[in-house]
Amino acid sequence: MIAELTGVVLAGGRSSRFGANKALARWQATTMVEQVVNSLLIVMPNVLVVTKKPAELAFLEKPGVRVIKDLHKDGHPMGGLFTALKRLKTSHAFVAACDMPFVRPELIEKLWLARADYDAAIPVWQGRRQPLCGIYSRQCLGLIRACIGQEALGITNLFDCLRTRFMLEQEIQEVDPQGLSFMDIDTPEDYQRAKGLKPC
């Protein structure tokens, strides 16, 4: 258990392509958002769920899990990240989206060990940075506030300014050979395909 790391699940998106709130989509015996929360609780004692509508996700509340309202009305992940870091009581947060049900606890542990004194530890899979499956220091808060103020809302823009430890694909494959931790579910077709996958 990593005491100085808080899990953050971003559940404030509009789910426009999915056609319904995908956080509440059934996943095995639970919901997609619960699957992500439970994966994070394997590694961290506390999880924050950031959403526009806390009442919809109030059922998640239990010891170690708090549902908080996104401080930003727009449905961009930068606002959710800012909200989480502002409420953080630990030095770092691991951030995941609510539509990433295959997040591997082993990957989180590996990112934590790799973070050293960097501001962020971010995986790179198939040449793409994965900002919604990474670790952020609370020290990132000021830069994120400035980016939101300038309406520079792409999270990947942060890495031009942050001291970032990029975890490369060969490192990731040691704990997630298929890279399923980074699979997000945007459409009903993605959802049906994901339900048929068998992580190795």
Side-chain angles (χ1 to χ4, degrees), residues 18 25-32 101-102 180 183-185 187-199:
F18 195 76
R26 299 306 301 172
W27 189 265
Q28 297 174 2
T30 181
T31 60
M32 193 152 17
F102 296 114
L180 291 182
M183 182 178 183
D184 58 339
I185 296 172
T187 66
E189 293 75 19
D190 291 342
Y191 176 59
Q192 293 302 325
R193 185 166 58 252
K195 288 199 295 183
L197 292 174
K198 298 186 184 298

Side-chain angles (χ1 to χ4, degrees), residues 92 111-121 137 139 162-165:
H92 291 75
L111 285 165
W112 176 253
L113 293 174
R115 82 198 184 286
D117 60 348
Y118 290 94
D119 297 317
S137 164
Q139 302 302 316
L162 294 175
R163 294 172 303 142
T164 305
R165 163 63 156 95

Side-chain angles (χ1 to χ4, degrees), residues 19-198:
N21 186 349
K22 56 189 172 182
L24 300 177
R26 299 306 301 172
W27 189 265
Q28 297 174 2
T30 181
T31 60
M32 193 152 17
V33 68
E34 286 175 282
Q35 173 68 22
V36 180
V37 167
N38 291 337
S39 293
L40 271 53
L41 285 172
I42 293 171
V43 184
M44 294 160 277
N46 296 290
V47 172
L48 299 175
V49 181
V50 184
T51 178
K52 297 287 187 298
K53 300 177 180 178
E56 286 187 355
L57 300 182
F59 68 93
L60 293 170
E61 292 266 4
K62 61 182 179 180
V65 180
R66 286 190 297 147
V67 178
I68 61 175
K69 187 170 184 176
D70 195 335
L71 295 172
H72 293 268
K73 293 180 181 179
D74 296 331
H76 54 79
M78 189 84 87
L81 179 56
F82 176 82
T83 298
L85 292 181
K86 194 170 177 64
R87 297 284 294 273
L88 210 62
K89 294 182 179 178
T90 56
S91 62
H92 291 75
F94 173 81
V95 177
C98 70
D99 61 349
M100 300 172 73
F102 296 114
V103 172
R104 288 270 178 101
E106 298 88 349
L107 175 64
I108 302 171
E109 293 173 329
K110 194 172 183 69
L111 285 165
W112 176 253
L113 293 174
R115 82 198 184 286
D117 60 348
Y118 290 94
D119 297 317
I122 303 297
V124 179
W125 184 259
Q126 295 182 347
R128 297 182 60 185
R129 297 170 177 178
Q130 303 292 331
L132 297 187
C133 191
I135 289 177
Y136 296 83
S137 164
R138 194 166 50 193
Q139 302 302 316
C140 299
L141 192 57
L143 176 61
I144 294 171
R145 180 189 289 111
C147 287
I148 292 173
Q150 296 165 12
E151 297 189 357
L153 302 178
I155 288 187
T156 54
N157 296 333
L158 293 174
F159 307 130
D160 295 331
C161 303
L162 294 175
R163 294 172 303 142
T164 305
R165 163 63 156 95
F166 292 110
M167 181 169 284
L168 302 182
E169 189 164 335
Q170 57 267 34
E171 299 175 87
I172 296 164
Q173 286 175 335
E174 296 172 3
V175 291
D176 187 356
Q178 299 164 285
L180 291 182
S181 291
F182 316 118
M183 182 178 183
D184 58 339
I185 296 172
D186 291 326
T187 66
E189 293 75 19
D190 291 342
Y191 176 59
Q192 293 302 325
R193 185 166 58 252
K195 288 199 295 183
L197 292 174
K198 298 186 184 298

